[in-house]
Amino acid sequence: MELVEETIPKEGKKMGDRMVVDKAYLYKEDKPLTVCKTSLFYTGDGFAAYDCNGDIIFRVDSYGPDTRDNDEIVLMDATGKCLLTVKRKRPTLHQRWEGFLGERSEGQKPIFSVRRSSIIGRCTMEVDVFDGSGEEYIIDGDFSQRSCLIYDTEKRTVAEIKRKVDASTNVMLGRDVFTLEIKPGFDGAFAMGLVVVLDQINGDDPVEIGDEQVHPFVED
């Protein structure tokens, strides 16, 4: 799938602050985070996200080998405080996930939802924010290749997921280490929550090996 970056205006109306989860993660300049898988044994294991100084910003503890049975995942800050809970909505044909502020409680209303735009093949993801603003976002690209753009309805990029290149050797690192670049004014905690959802949805997609399709879940 081709990314839409070429169609996004280079100049235009400045994006205002878009706080969805926590205003502490609104940045005045581009904020690149290095995101690492904290376990390499299973599809859908935890993450840690670091800034350019090596300080941890976000963490998602490992949620086990069978992600099909674990539909609720918590995003935390460096101290372990729960910032966001993402939960898969069942039943759904579009792999809809919902985000809840803090640690989700029974009856709590979601603050956003993510769903596939189609139930067939690889497709864009549609993000709706439920704060009365009517904000909508599109996620375009292939998360399995760590190549995605997140943009708003005016086609302005608000975050980007891309392969990480080692600055000292100019070598591209493996897909278990990648960059999440957050644009000024966009909520970094919200962006990281979207990464968690993409990882889960990608774990539900078959992986193509040659002419075969292999489901990435580990089977007994």
Side-chain angles (χ1 to χ4, degrees):
M1 178 182 295
E2 294 183 357
L3 299 184
V4 299
E5 188 172 26
E6 293 183 355
T7 68
I8 297 172
K10 300 299 182 182
E11 302 292 339
K13 181 181 176 183
K14 183 179 179 181
M15 185 179 73
D17 288 348
R18 311 275 185 88
M19 196 277 285
V20 178
V21 178
D22 195 322
K23 64 181 180 181
Y25 300 101
L26 297 174
Y27 304 106
K28 296 183 182 300
E29 300 178 344
D30 285 3
K31 183 74 171 181
L33 299 179
T34 298
V35 184
C36 307
K37 283 277 193 179
T38 54
S39 174
L40 307 182
F41 295 107
Y42 306 112
T43 298
D45 270 349
F47 289 109
Y50 302 86
D51 65 13
C52 61
N53 298 316
D55 295 324
I56 188 167
I57 306 298
F58 303 113
R59 57 184 253 224
V60 178
D61 284 351
S62 175
Y63 34 94
D66 195 346
T67 58
R68 288 168 294 185
D69 296 331
N70 195 336
D71 291 337
E72 191 166 301
I73 303 157
V74 171
L75 174 69
M76 297 175 286
D77 67 8
T79 67
K81 174 187 173 183
C82 177
L83 299 172
L84 178 70
T85 302
V86 295
K87 179 178 176 61
R88 184 168 183 169
K89 185 175 177 64
R90 294 183 182 272
T92 175
L93 294 176
H94 290 265
Q95 294 177 308
R96 182 187 294 273
W97 284 74
E98 294 178 329
F100 300 83
L101 196 60
E103 188 171 355
R104 189 186 72 88
S105 59
E106 195 65 33
Q108 183 179 352
K109 293 184 178 180
I111 57 173
F112 69 86
S113 73
V114 184
R115 70 181 184 94
R116 295 169 62 107
S117 59
S118 171
I119 63 174
I120 301 173
R122 295 199 182 276
C123 58
T124 59
M125 305 289 174
E126 299 174 352
V127 183
D128 295 308
V129 179
F130 307 134
D131 62 355
S133 66
E135 291 288 352
E136 298 177 356
Y137 300 93
I138 297 293
I139 306 174
D140 189 27
D142 186 351
F143 181 76
S144 69
Q145 299 301 316
R146 307 302 187 250
S147 178
C148 294
L149 290 175
I150 305 172
Y151 56 92
D152 64 13
T153 54
E154 296 186 25
K155 303 296 186 183
R156 296 175 298 196
T157 301
V158 296
E160 182 177 2
I161 298 163
K162 55 189 176 181
R163 298 287 295 272
K164 184 172 180 63
V165 176
D166 187 300
S168 62
T169 62
N170 204 33
V171 172
M172 184 176 291
L173 302 179
R175 283 175 289 179
D176 292 309
V177 181
F178 57 95
T179 296
L180 170 62
E181 185 166 307
I182 304 158
K183 298 301 180 181
F186 192 65
D187 189 333
F190 180 36
M192 190 63 201
L194 296 178
V195 169
V196 175
V197 172
L198 287 172
D199 185 59
Q200 283 292 288
I201 292 176
N202 182 69
D204 284 346
D205 286 339
V207 176
E208 295 184 5
I209 302 177
D211 295 328
E212 300 182 24
Q213 287 193 327
V214 179
H215 200 285
F217 290 120
V218 176
E219 300 290 344
D220 293 334

